[in-house]
mmCIF file of all heavy atoms in Angstrom:
data_model
loop_
_atom_site.group_PDB
_atom_site.id
_atom_site.type_symbol
_atom_site.label_atom_id
_atom_site.label_comp_id
_atom_site.label_asym_id
_atom_site.label_seq_id
_atom_site.Cartn_x
_atom_site.Cartn_y
_atom_site.Cartn_z
ATOM 1 N N ARG K 282 3.575 8.276 5.480
ATOM 2 C CA ARG K 282 3.207 8.657 6.806
ATOM 3 C C ARG K 282 4.380 8.200 7.735
ATOM 4 O O ARG K 282 4.745 8.821 8.734
ATOM 5 C CB ARG K 282 2.043 7.967 7.439
ATOM 6 C CG ARG K 282 1.482 8.438 8.559
ATOM 7 C CD ARG K 282 0.287 7.655 9.093
ATOM 8 N NE ARG K 282 0.694 6.323 9.581
ATOM 9 C CZ ARG K 282 -0.144 5.346 9.881
ATOM 10 N NH1 ARG K 282 -1.460 5.457 9.597
ATOM 11 N NH2 ARG K 282 0.289 4.165 10.247
ATOM 12 N N GLU K 283 5.020 7.051 7.434
ATOM 13 C CA GLU K 283 5.954 6.381 8.247
ATOM 14 C C GLU K 283 7.416 6.959 7.989
ATOM 15 O O GLU K 283 8.371 6.584 8.524
ATOM 16 C CB GLU K 283 6.006 4.861 8.045
ATOM 17 C CG GLU K 283 4.694 4.259 8.453
ATOM 18 C CD GLU K 283 4.380 4.425 10.057
ATOM 19 O OE1 GLU K 283 5.271 4.198 10.798
ATOM 20 O OE2 GLU K 283 3.128 4.641 10.272
ATOM 21 N N GLY K 284 7.453 7.825 6.874
ATOM 22 C CA GLY K 284 8.703 8.402 6.655
ATOM 23 C C GLY K 284 9.698 7.717 5.659
ATOM 24 O O GLY K 284 10.790 7.933 5.730
ATOM 25 N N TYR K 285 9.101 6.660 5.066
ATOM 26 C CA TYR K 285 9.994 5.845 4.115
ATOM 27 C C TYR K 285 10.155 6.441 2.727
ATOM 28 O O TYR K 285 10.994 5.983 1.961
ATOM 29 C CB TYR K 285 9.492 4.424 4.112
ATOM 30 C CG TYR K 285 9.529 3.762 5.430
ATOM 31 C CD1 TYR K 285 8.482 3.287 6.059
ATOM 32 C CD2 TYR K 285 10.842 3.532 5.943
ATOM 33 C CE1 TYR K 285 8.697 2.655 7.329
ATOM 34 C CE2 TYR K 285 10.965 3.029 7.210
ATOM 35 C CZ TYR K 285 9.853 2.476 7.792
ATOM 36 O OH TYR K 285 10.079 1.875 9.038
ATOM 37 N N VAL K 286 9.182 7.286 2.345
ATOM 38 C CA VAL K 286 9.153 7.890 0.947
ATOM 39 C C VAL K 286 9.182 9.462 1.017
ATOM 40 O O VAL K 286 8.801 9.965 1.990
ATOM 41 C CB VAL K 286 8.122 7.363 -0.092
ATOM 42 C CG1 VAL K 286 8.222 5.716 -0.254
ATOM 43 C CG2 VAL K 286 6.709 7.686 0.484
ATOM 44 N N TRP K 287 9.434 9.979 -0.201
ATOM 45 C CA TRP K 287 9.347 11.394 -0.353
ATOM 46 C C TRP K 287 7.930 11.695 -0.910
ATOM 47 O O TRP K 287 7.407 10.795 -1.646
ATOM 48 C CB TRP K 287 10.325 11.967 -1.269
ATOM 49 C CG TRP K 287 11.763 11.745 -0.956
ATOM 50 C CD1 TRP K 287 12.255 11.361 0.443
ATOM 51 C CD2 TRP K 287 12.897 11.859 -1.727
ATOM 52 N NE1 TRP K 287 13.557 11.140 0.326
ATOM 53 C CE2 TRP K 287 13.932 11.465 -0.872
ATOM 54 C CE3 TRP K 287 13.177 12.279 -2.986
ATOM 55 C CZ2 TRP K 287 15.386 11.592 -1.297
ATOM 56 C CZ3 TRP K 287 14.422 12.369 -3.531
ATOM 57 C CH2 TRP K 287 15.582 11.897 -2.812
ATOM 58 N N ALA K 288 7.330 12.828 -0.568
ATOM 59 C CA ALA K 288 6.019 13.101 -1.146
ATOM 60 C C ALA K 288 5.857 12.991 -2.572
ATOM 61 O O ALA K 288 4.949 12.457 -3.155
ATOM 62 C CB ALA K 288 5.559 14.493 -0.629
ATOM 63 N N GLU K 289 6.928 13.390 -3.229
ATOM 64 C CA GLU K 289 6.871 13.428 -4.761
ATOM 65 C C GLU K 289 7.027 12.077 -5.333
ATOM 66 O O GLU K 289 6.727 11.827 -6.546
ATOM 67 C CB GLU K 289 7.757 14.403 -5.377
ATOM 68 C CG GLU K 289 9.302 14.180 -5.070
ATOM 69 C CD GLU K 289 9.719 15.006 -3.763
ATOM 70 O OE1 GLU K 289 8.886 15.257 -2.881
ATOM 71 O OE2 GLU K 289 10.887 15.480 -3.813
ATOM 72 N N ASP K 290 7.428 11.022 -4.534
ATOM 73 C CA ASP K 290 7.450 9.598 -5.089
ATOM 74 C C ASP K 290 6.117 9.221 -5.603
ATOM 75 O O ASP K 290 6.015 8.492 -6.579
ATOM 76 C CB ASP K 290 7.964 8.641 -3.955
ATOM 77 C CG ASP K 290 9.422 8.883 -3.580
ATOM 78 O OD1 ASP K 290 10.138 9.665 -4.229
ATOM 79 O OD2 ASP K 290 9.955 8.202 -2.664
ATOM 80 N N LYS K 291 5.188 9.592 -4.804
ATOM 81 C CA LYS K 291 3.752 9.203 -5.106
ATOM 82 C C LYS K 291 3.285 9.767 -6.453
ATOM 83 O O LYS K 291 2.617 9.048 -7.385
ATOM 84 C CB LYS K 291 2.741 9.741 -4.074
ATOM 85 C CG LYS K 291 2.545 8.879 -2.886
ATOM 86 C CD LYS K 291 1.514 9.349 -1.976
ATOM 87 C CE LYS K 291 0.150 9.541 -2.782
ATOM 88 N NZ LYS K 291 -0.919 10.013 -2.094
ATOM 89 N N GLU K 292 3.749 10.953 -6.713
ATOM 90 C CA GLU K 292 3.321 11.707 -8.034
ATOM 91 C C GLU K 292 3.815 10.815 -9.288
ATOM 92 O O GLU K 292 3.054 10.876 -10.292
ATOM 93 C CB GLU K 292 4.013 13.039 -8.306
ATOM 94 C CG GLU K 292 3.578 13.998 -7.177
ATOM 95 C CD GLU K 292 1.951 14.356 -7.236
ATOM 96 O OE1 GLU K 292 1.735 14.682 -8.410
ATOM 97 O OE2 GLU K 292 1.348 14.273 -6.314
ATOM 98 N N HIS K 293 4.845 10.130 -9.092
ATOM 99 C CA HIS K 293 5.547 9.315 -10.148
ATOM 100 C C HIS K 293 5.195 7.890 -10.038
ATOM 101 O O HIS K 293 6.150 7.091 -10.355
ATOM 102 C CB HIS K 293 7.000 9.640 -10.373
ATOM 103 C CG HIS K 293 7.239 11.090 -10.857
ATOM 104 N ND1 HIS K 293 8.483 11.520 -11.016
ATOM 105 C CD2 HIS K 293 6.359 11.990 -11.253
ATOM 106 C CE1 HIS K 293 8.449 12.773 -11.479
ATOM 107 N NE2 HIS K 293 7.083 13.052 -11.619
ATOM 108 N N CYS K 294 3.876 7.531 -9.680
ATOM 109 C CA CYS K 294 3.652 6.072 -9.432
ATOM 110 C C CYS K 294 2.294 5.842 -10.051
ATOM 111 O O CYS K 294 1.374 6.751 -9.877
ATOM 112 C CB CYS K 294 3.718 5.848 -8.048
ATOM 113 S SG CYS K 294 3.493 4.164 -7.557
ATOM 114 N N GLU K 295 2.144 4.840 -10.705
ATOM 115 C CA GLU K 295 0.799 4.369 -11.359
ATOM 116 C C GLU K 295 -0.132 4.371 -10.155
ATOM 117 O O GLU K 295 0.181 3.973 -9.039
ATOM 118 C CB GLU K 295 0.931 3.076 -11.856
ATOM 119 C CG GLU K 295 -0.233 2.704 -12.733
ATOM 120 C CD GLU K 295 -0.081 1.337 -13.473
ATOM 121 O OE1 GLU K 295 1.179 0.986 -13.869
ATOM 122 O OE2 GLU K 295 -1.063 0.645 -13.709
ATOM 123 N N GLU K 296 -1.398 4.909 -10.387
ATOM 124 C CA GLU K 296 -2.476 5.011 -9.251
ATOM 125 C C GLU K 296 -1.929 5.794 -8.075
ATOM 126 O O GLU K 296 -2.625 5.616 -7.010
ATOM 127 C CB GLU K 296 -2.786 3.592 -8.734
ATOM 128 C CG GLU K 296 -3.422 2.740 -9.826
ATOM 129 C CD GLU K 296 -4.794 3.084 -10.258
ATOM 130 O OE1 GLU K 296 -5.571 3.433 -9.277
ATOM 131 O OE2 GLU K 296 -5.146 3.159 -11.377
ATOM 132 N N TYR K 297 -0.878 6.547 -8.128
ATOM 133 C CA TYR K 297 -0.390 7.319 -7.013
ATOM 134 C C TYR K 297 0.069 6.345 -5.952
ATOM 135 O O TYR K 297 -0.015 6.815 -4.713
ATOM 136 C CB TYR K 297 -1.289 8.497 -6.559
ATOM 137 C CG TYR K 297 -1.511 9.425 -7.677
ATOM 138 C CD1 TYR K 297 -2.635 9.469 -8.448
ATOM 139 C CD2 TYR K 297 -0.530 10.304 -8.054
ATOM 140 C CE1 TYR K 297 -2.854 10.369 -9.404
ATOM 141 C CE2 TYR K 297 -0.655 11.290 -8.991
ATOM 142 C CZ TYR K 297 -1.812 11.302 -9.803
ATOM 143 O OH TYR K 297 -2.069 12.103 -10.787
ATOM 144 N N GLY K 298 0.306 5.041 -6.272
ATOM 145 C CA GLY K 298 0.755 4.140 -5.281
ATOM 146 C C GLY K 298 -0.292 3.633 -4.295
ATOM 147 O O GLY K 298 -0.020 3.115 -3.229
ATOM 148 N N ARG K 299 -1.473 3.842 -4.751
ATOM 149 C CA ARG K 299 -2.655 3.345 -3.807
ATOM 150 C C ARG K 299 -3.856 2.982 -4.631
ATOM 151 O O ARG K 299 -4.472 3.892 -5.183
ATOM 152 C CB ARG K 299 -2.886 4.497 -2.659
ATOM 153 C CG ARG K 299 -4.055 4.142 -1.821
ATOM 154 C CD ARG K 299 -4.479 5.153 -0.845
ATOM 155 N NE ARG K 299 -5.441 4.743 0.106
ATOM 156 C CZ ARG K 299 -5.791 5.440 1.125
ATOM 157 N NH1 ARG K 299 -5.265 6.580 1.439
ATOM 158 N NH2 ARG K 299 -6.682 4.970 1.979
ATOM 159 N N MET K 300 -4.380 1.785 -4.505
ATOM 160 C CA MET K 300 -5.599 1.372 -5.198
ATOM 161 C C MET K 300 -6.658 1.677 -4.012
ATOM 162 O O MET K 300 -6.662 1.017 -3.043
ATOM 163 C CB MET K 300 -5.536 0.058 -5.641
ATOM 164 C CG MET K 300 -4.877 -0.005 -6.908
ATOM 165 S SD MET K 300 -5.109 -1.718 -7.761
ATOM 166 C CE MET K 300 -6.523 -1.502 -8.815
ATOM 167 N N LEU K 301 -7.547 2.626 -4.331
ATOM 168 C CA LEU K 301 -8.532 3.020 -3.270
ATOM 169 C C LEU K 301 -9.503 1.948 -2.974
ATOM 170 O O LEU K 301 -10.200 2.000 -1.865
ATOM 171 C CB LEU K 301 -9.328 4.260 -3.751
ATOM 172 C CG LEU K 301 -8.289 5.505 -3.861
ATOM 173 C CD1 LEU K 301 -9.022 6.661 -4.563
ATOM 174 C CD2 LEU K 301 -7.782 5.989 -2.561
ATOM 175 N N SER K 302 -9.746 0.995 -3.875
ATOM 176 C CA SER K 302 -10.724 -0.183 -3.643
ATOM 177 C C SER K 302 -10.281 -1.213 -2.705
ATOM 178 O O SER K 302 -10.948 -2.037 -2.425
ATOM 179 C CB SER K 302 -11.075 -0.765 -5.103
ATOM 180 O OG SER K 302 -9.828 -1.213 -5.666
ATOM 181 N N ALA K 303 -9.045 -1.050 -2.159
ATOM 182 C CA ALA K 303 -8.471 -2.112 -1.298
ATOM 183 C C ALA K 303 -9.314 -2.221 -0.090
ATOM 184 O O ALA K 303 -9.677 -1.298 0.512
ATOM 185 C CB ALA K 303 -7.096 -1.812 -0.977
ATOM 186 N N ASP K 304 -9.475 -3.560 0.282
ATOM 187 C CA ASP K 304 -10.264 -3.814 1.512
ATOM 188 C C ASP K 304 -9.548 -5.001 2.184
ATOM 189 O O ASP K 304 -9.725 -6.220 1.839
ATOM 190 C CB ASP K 304 -11.777 -4.222 1.219
ATOM 191 C CG ASP K 304 -12.523 -4.490 2.514
ATOM 192 O OD1 ASP K 304 -11.899 -4.545 3.521
ATOM 193 O OD2 ASP K 304 -13.786 -4.566 2.406
ATOM 194 N N PRO K 305 -8.836 -4.763 3.191
ATOM 195 C CA PRO K 305 -8.019 -5.779 3.902
ATOM 196 C C PRO K 305 -8.855 -6.867 4.516
ATOM 197 O O PRO K 305 -8.371 -8.111 4.703
ATOM 198 C CB PRO K 305 -7.128 -5.094 4.965
ATOM 199 C CG PRO K 305 -7.089 -3.595 4.539
ATOM 200 C CD PRO K 305 -8.451 -3.423 3.768
ATOM 201 N N SER K 306 -10.108 -6.598 4.829
ATOM 202 C CA SER K 306 -11.021 -7.529 5.305
ATOM 203 C C SER K 306 -11.272 -8.666 4.480
ATOM 204 O O SER K 306 -11.834 -9.831 4.862
ATOM 205 C CB SER K 306 -12.316 -6.888 5.896
ATOM 206 O OG SER K 306 -13.103 -6.547 4.908
ATOM 207 N N LYS K 307 -11.084 -8.411 3.083
ATOM 208 C CA LYS K 307 -11.403 -9.537 2.220
ATOM 209 C C LYS K 307 -10.044 -10.403 1.974
ATOM 210 O O LYS K 307 -10.042 -11.235 1.117
ATOM 211 C CB LYS K 307 -11.669 -8.836 0.811
ATOM 212 C CG LYS K 307 -12.877 -7.976 0.872
ATOM 213 C CD LYS K 307 -14.124 -8.698 1.276
ATOM 214 C CE LYS K 307 -15.312 -7.794 1.293
ATOM 215 N NZ LYS K 307 -16.429 -8.400 1.950
ATOM 216 N N VAL K 308 -9.081 -10.222 2.744
ATOM 217 C CA VAL K 308 -7.783 -10.990 2.590
ATOM 218 C C VAL K 308 -7.635 -11.953 3.710
ATOM 219 O O VAL K 308 -8.027 -11.694 4.902
ATOM 220 C CB VAL K 308 -6.599 -10.128 2.645
ATOM 221 C CG1 VAL K 308 -5.250 -10.876 2.693
ATOM 222 C CG2 VAL K 308 -6.569 -8.968 1.672
ATOM 223 N N SER K 309 -7.422 -13.308 3.390
ATOM 224 C CA SER K 309 -7.277 -14.293 4.364
ATOM 225 C C SER K 309 -6.280 -14.204 5.425
ATOM 226 O O SER K 309 -5.229 -13.441 5.155
ATOM 227 C CB SER K 309 -7.155 -15.640 3.595
ATOM 228 O OG SER K 309 -5.786 -15.652 3.256
ATOM 229 N N MET K 310 -6.362 -14.719 6.734
ATOM 230 C CA MET K 310 -5.328 -14.544 7.582
ATOM 231 C C MET K 310 -4.080 -15.286 7.040
ATOM 232 O O MET K 310 -2.934 -14.816 7.468
ATOM 233 C CB MET K 310 -5.807 -15.303 8.837
ATOM 234 C CG MET K 310 -6.746 -14.524 9.751
ATOM 235 S SD MET K 310 -6.258 -12.787 10.001
ATOM 236 C CE MET K 310 -4.642 -12.927 10.935
ATOM 237 N N ARG K 311 -4.299 -16.235 6.287
ATOM 238 C CA ARG K 311 -3.024 -16.954 5.815
ATOM 239 C C ARG K 311 -2.119 -16.049 4.938
ATOM 240 O O ARG K 311 -0.984 -16.066 5.058
ATOM 241 C CB ARG K 311 -3.426 -18.152 5.126
ATOM 242 C CG ARG K 311 -2.324 -19.008 4.542
ATOM 243 C CD ARG K 311 -2.556 -20.526 4.392
ATOM 244 N NE ARG K 311 -1.351 -21.246 4.121
ATOM 245 C CZ ARG K 311 -1.237 -22.098 3.309
ATOM 246 N NH1 ARG K 311 -2.257 -22.672 2.734
ATOM 247 N NH2 ARG K 311 -0.112 -22.667 3.100
ATOM 248 N N ALA K 312 -2.786 -15.268 4.129
ATOM 249 C CA ALA K 312 -2.116 -14.305 3.199
ATOM 250 C C ALA K 312 -1.433 -13.336 4.091
ATOM 251 O O ALA K 312 -0.283 -12.965 3.855
ATOM 252 C CB ALA K 312 -3.070 -13.670 2.267
ATOM 253 N N LYS K 313 -2.088 -12.774 5.212
ATOM 254 C CA LYS K 313 -1.554 -11.707 5.998
ATOM 255 C C LYS K 313 -0.248 -12.257 6.758
ATOM 256 O O LYS K 313 0.660 -11.624 6.967
ATOM 257 C CB LYS K 313 -2.551 -11.200 6.972
ATOM 258 C CG LYS K 313 -3.593 -10.317 6.263
ATOM 259 C CD LYS K 313 -4.627 -9.918 7.126
ATOM 260 C CE LYS K 313 -5.779 -9.129 6.419
ATOM 261 N NZ LYS K 313 -7.012 -8.859 7.273
ATOM 262 N N LYS K 314 -0.457 -13.537 7.273
ATOM 263 C CA LYS K 314 0.706 -14.242 7.930
ATOM 264 C C LYS K 314 1.922 -14.285 6.911
ATOM 265 O O LYS K 314 3.030 -14.112 7.441
ATOM 266 C CB LYS K 314 0.063 -15.645 8.380
ATOM 267 C CG LYS K 314 0.520 -15.921 9.786
ATOM 268 C CD LYS K 314 0.163 -17.324 10.089
ATOM 269 C CE LYS K 314 0.007 -17.450 11.692
ATOM 270 N NZ LYS K 314 -1.248 -18.017 12.005
ATOM 271 N N ARG K 315 1.635 -14.755 5.675
ATOM 272 C CA ARG K 315 2.725 -14.843 4.772
ATOM 273 C C ARG K 315 3.395 -13.455 4.427
ATOM 274 O O ARG K 315 4.577 -13.424 4.317
ATOM 275 C CB ARG K 315 2.257 -15.455 3.489
ATOM 276 C CG ARG K 315 2.005 -16.963 3.638
ATOM 277 C CD ARG K 315 1.596 -17.575 2.223
ATOM 278 N NE ARG K 315 2.704 -17.647 1.269
ATOM 279 C CZ ARG K 315 2.515 -18.101 0.071
ATOM 280 N NH1 ARG K 315 1.424 -18.734 -0.350
ATOM 281 N NH2 ARG K 315 3.634 -18.125 -0.790
ATOM 282 N N GLY K 316 2.548 -12.414 4.418
ATOM 283 C CA GLY K 316 3.030 -11.178 4.022
ATOM 284 C C GLY K 316 3.750 -10.331 5.087
ATOM 285 O O GLY K 316 4.718 -9.629 4.742
ATOM 286 N N LEU K 317 3.326 -10.529 6.309
ATOM 287 C CA LEU K 317 3.812 -9.739 7.514
ATOM 288 C C LEU K 317 5.360 -9.703 7.474
ATOM 289 O O LEU K 317 6.072 -8.493 7.578
ATOM 290 C CB LEU K 317 3.222 -10.154 8.632
ATOM 291 C CG LEU K 317 3.529 -9.253 9.959
ATOM 292 C CD1 LEU K 317 3.156 -7.808 9.816
ATOM 293 C CD2 LEU K 317 2.941 -9.960 11.201
#
């Protein structure tokens, strides 16, 4: 969406580059602070 990859990049990625079960609300603020 942000224009950093080509559409076909996803095709050649395990899980198409997205695990659908992800829930950011289960991640601590500390982890988000470190990751940002």
